[in-house]
Amino acid sequence: MFYLDHAATTPVRPDVVQAMLPYLGDRFGNPSSHHTVGEAAASVLSDARRRVAAVFGMRPADIVFTSGGTEADNLAVKGITIGTALHRGGGRSAPMHVITTPIEHEAVLASCGYLERVHGASITRLPVDATGLVAPADIAAALRPETALVSIGYANNEVGTVQDLGAIAAVTRATGVALHVDAVQAAGWLPLADTGADAISVAGHKIGAPPGIGVLAIRGRVPLEPLLHGGGQERERRSGTENVAGAVAIATALEIAERERLAAAARVGALRDRFIARVLALVPSSRLTGHPVRRLPSLASFTFAGTSGESVLLELERRGVVSSSGSACAAGSDEPSHVLLALGITPELAQTAVRFSFGHDFGAGDEQRAAALLDAAADAVAASVTAVRSGP
């Protein structure tokens, strides 16, 4: 199998497995228990929190462990917006305003929809250009006195476009509005410290930890209303018995990813560029989506006019290549990608999209092999379409 769908999930790193195994066995304590077994677990959890905080350049108290990226996004968007309204003294009836874009992950968009539908919040969904970039000037122009949050994805999960966080953070800092950054796809490829963000979401399974663990790193000065209530864990920001093994796993994965990040991004980014060039040269119908330069080192997405993206994916899998048409969270949907539509791509062309996302094991020569297999798959689909149109 030639696995080129790392944006959906990554294999668990062997070092991560070894690090978390003791906490799935004999070292099983509940960190909230006031006895030696529980206190040992609490010490391990505290150490994992410290290690994660160091990667973000934040304080251990700023780290909230969650069940994954979706929960981290929900907690940030809903929790900061409602928390800010309560902090301002207007209660839940106070005006709430959130700025985001139409290309965000479903976890952000659905959270905004919830605030709009249930709490009467006003949501500004700023347009992006044809490459997926939002203009910082548009964010500045959209700010209002009641704006509680700007939520922007660091790097898009479907087309790989990387936003100018420095310029966006300068806008939010100048006005005191909280900036939430969904960094689920960026982790391991782009820096997580010194982004200017007030809250950052990551998911363990995108960086070599198992599913079921995520992080919301949120600065202590930002008001946050919890979504989950109960025992008051995570400094009363996320109740529920802590996942000690998961915390150790994501701490280990983040440390490894950060240690390898610069070298991996340079190496895989160069292979990605060669892969893109070969695909565009080999497949006449191919068109690169997203920004040509400001993009994740690990991702390349194309449309193939006159074909079917699903057909290309099936042909690729017949040849041993595993990839996707876009976000795994939208898999199975017959609707065209909301990201591609927001980039101005027609629904018909959006249905032809195929995304390739590479891991740290993507090596020299793999880009040639992948491009050749894609060329063969696209030719097979084109021949099939021609045969159908020609009829008996």
Side-chain angles (χ1 to χ4, degrees):
M1 181 179 67
F2 196 10
Y3 184 74
L4 300 180
D5 198 19
H6 289 262
T9 198
T10 59
V12 180
R13 290 175 178 264
D15 289 350
V16 171
V17 173
Q18 291 304 310
M20 68 185 293
L21 271 179
Y23 310 101
L24 297 173
D26 295 340
R27 302 177 68 180
F28 56 84
N30 184 327
S32 297
S33 297
H34 295 293
H35 47 57
T36 54
V37 177
E39 287 167 358
S43 176
V44 171
L45 183 67
S46 177
D47 182 63
R49 198 182 308 277
R50 175 193 58 78
R51 293 162 60 196
V52 171
V55 174
F56 287 96
M58 297 171 75
R59 305 175 307 155
D62 296 333
I63 303 303
V64 181
F65 289 112
T66 70
S67 63
T70 290
E71 186 190 340
D73 281 345
N74 272 257
L75 180 57
V77 175
K78 298 174 186 175
I80 295 174
T81 302
I82 296 172
T84 299
L86 294 172
H87 179 73
R88 289 172 176 172
R92 292 181 183 270
S93 61
M96 303 179 193
H97 178 231
V98 177
I99 298 172
T100 189
T101 79
I103 66 168
E104 303 306 318
H105 188 275
E106 289 85 351
V108 169
L109 295 178
S111 293
C112 288
Y114 164 83
L115 289 171
E116 194 173 39
R117 185 178 69 255
V118 177
H119 294 277
S122 175
I123 310 296
T124 297
R125 299 168 179 86
L126 292 174
V128 296
D129 67 16
T131 69
L133 287 176
V134 63
D138 289 349
I139 295 175
L143 290 168
R144 307 176 191 170
E146 66 270 25
T147 304
L149 181 68
V150 174
S151 182
I152 301 292
Y154 199 163
N156 185 263
N157 64 318
E158 292 194 29
V159 299
T161 296
V162 176
Q163 301 294 340
D164 186 354
L165 282 194
I168 294 170
V171 170
T172 57
R173 272 198 310 268
T175 54
V177 172
L179 172 63
H180 165 243
V181 169
D182 179 338
V184 168
Q185 288 297 334
W189 301 107
L190 302 174
L192 296 177
D194 301 320
T195 63
D198 300 291
I200 307 176
S201 305
V202 297
H205 74 108
K206 307 290 189 179
I207 52 170
I213 186 69
V215 165
L216 176 64
I218 178 168
R219 301 193 188 279
R221 61 179 175 78
V222 180
L224 185 72
E225 179 69 9
L227 303 184
L228 301 178
H229 303 88
Q233 290 89 346
E234 297 297 298
R235 295 169 62 92
E236 299 188 352
R237 296 170 296 187
R238 198 270 185 184
S239 289
T241 301
E242 298 94 341
N243 180 356
V244 177
V248 170
I250 198 169
T252 305
L254 279 168
E255 286 178 335
I256 296 172
E258 181 59 22
R259 187 165 62 242
E260 297 178 351
R261 177 175 58 81
L262 290 176
R267 183 182 62 81
V268 176
L271 294 173
R272 173 212 61 194
D273 289 343
R274 290 205 286 270
F275 172 70
I276 290 171
R278 289 185 71 84
V279 170
L280 295 177
L282 287 171
V283 186
S285 64
S286 61
R287 170 186 168 187
L288 182 69
T289 61
H291 199 283
V293 178
R294 293 189 60 89
R295 64 185 306 118
L296 280 173
S298 57
L299 196 147
S301 177
F302 305 88
T303 57
F304 299 95
T307 68
S308 157
E310 290 299 323
S311 296
V312 173
L313 288 172
L314 289 171
E315 285 292 337
L316 282 168
E317 193 155 6
R318 284 182 56 198
R319 292 162 172 78
V321 181
V322 176
S323 54
S324 70
S325 58
S327 171
C329 296
S333 172
D334 293 329
E335 296 298 316
S337 160
H338 70 278
V339 172
L340 298 183
L341 295 181
L343 269 58
I345 295 173
T346 65
E348 294 77 19
L349 189 57
Q351 296 279 27
T352 73
V354 178
R355 179 187 71 180
F356 300 88
S357 47
F358 316 120
H360 289 219
D361 60 345
F362 195 67
D366 284 344
E367 82 285 5
Q368 298 181 38
R369 176 185 168 205
L373 289 166
L374 173 57
D375 181 35
D379 280 349
V381 172
S384 175
V385 169
T386 301
V388 168
R389 287 175 178 169
S390 298

